[in-house]
Amino acid sequence: MDFGDILSQWETLKKKEPKDIHKRSENSRPKAPEKTVNPMEMWMRRYGVIDKDAAADEYDQRLKLEDRVYLKAMSPQSRLDLHGLTREEAWQRLDGFISECKLKGLRKVLIIHGKGNHSHGSDPVLGATVRSFIETDKRLGAFGHPNRNMGGSGATWVVIR
């Protein structure tokens, strides 16, 4: 089949078609099959899906982060100096101090234990004692060392739950 044959077929098909395609009646057009929409699917498209558990977890994480940043930046509401005490004396003082602060409703305290420069022996005693007290006491939460102007590694801030 050459181009001339194809052209003649095309012309004959064109003559058979109506002149104005837009004026065809609705009945002459082929109808698309009617599509039924699931009501649940329609509702989901309209209102969307929200994972409430994920949203609640995200909100809780944001609150924790804001609270942690706020507590870290917050200045200590009370201080305890343990210089010159033995391990047992420091433990008793810490227990009494934390009990008193909890009763007063304080949120953050500073415990000054020193860096151990004047300790006799190899390791500083009070720093390790304070750390183990904080880790074992259920009333206490996050802790850390303040910046240098508040004692650096010779002090520890603690959040009271």
Side-chain angles (χ1 to χ4, degrees):
M1 182 178 254
D2 64 344
F3 184 75
D5 294 333
I6 295 172
L7 189 58
S8 63
Q9 282 180 354
W10 184 75
E11 286 177 354
T12 57
L13 285 174
K14 276 301 217 182
K15 288 178 184 176
K16 289 180 184 177
E17 286 182 8
K19 300 279 183 195
D20 194 2
I21 298 173
H22 299 290
K23 291 187 179 179
R24 272 203 246 178
S25 67
E26 286 291 322
N27 296 337
S28 65
R29 287 187 189 163
K31 287 189 175 183
E34 289 189 28
K35 188 176 180 182
T36 59
V37 178
N38 181 355
M40 182 65 82
E41 188 177 326
M42 188 169 84
W43 188 90
M44 301 265 284
R45 282 186 201 159
R46 177 179 287 168
Y47 299 108
V49 180
I50 297 172
D51 186 1
K52 291 182 181 178
D53 292 333
D57 289 343
E58 181 184 323
Y59 178 74
D60 289 343
Q61 289 288 46
R62 196 170 352 110
L63 281 180
K64 284 180 186 176
L65 181 63
E66 288 172 0
D67 194 36
R68 183 173 293 151
V69 168
Y70 170 73
L71 286 173
K72 241 181 165 178
M74 180 178 159
S75 61
Q77 297 167 315
S78 185
R79 299 170 196 270
L80 173 66
D81 192 347
L82 300 175
H83 280 104
L85 300 178
T86 65
R87 181 176 292 156
E88 292 78 25
E89 292 171 342
W91 195 277
Q92 289 173 353
R93 281 264 178 95
L94 278 168
D95 190 38
F97 176 70
I98 296 300
S99 296
E100 185 180 320
C101 290
K102 181 88 172 153
L103 285 173
K104 289 180 179 178
L106 302 182
R107 292 284 314 240
K108 185 176 179 181
V109 295
L110 184 68
I111 302 166
I112 302 167
H113 47 75
K115 296 180 182 177
N117 293 337
H118 304 290
S119 293
H120 301 294
S122 60
D123 291 332
V125 175
L126 294 178
T129 303
V130 167
R131 183 178 180 94
S132 71
F133 179 84
I134 292 169
E135 290 173 349
T136 57
D137 196 330
K138 302 281 186 206
R139 302 171 291 181
L140 303 177
F143 64 95
H145 294 294
N147 52 19
R148 286 185 90 176
N149 63 352
M150 292 193 62
S153 63
T156 304
W157 58 262
V158 184
V159 174
I160 301 174
R161 292 182 184 172

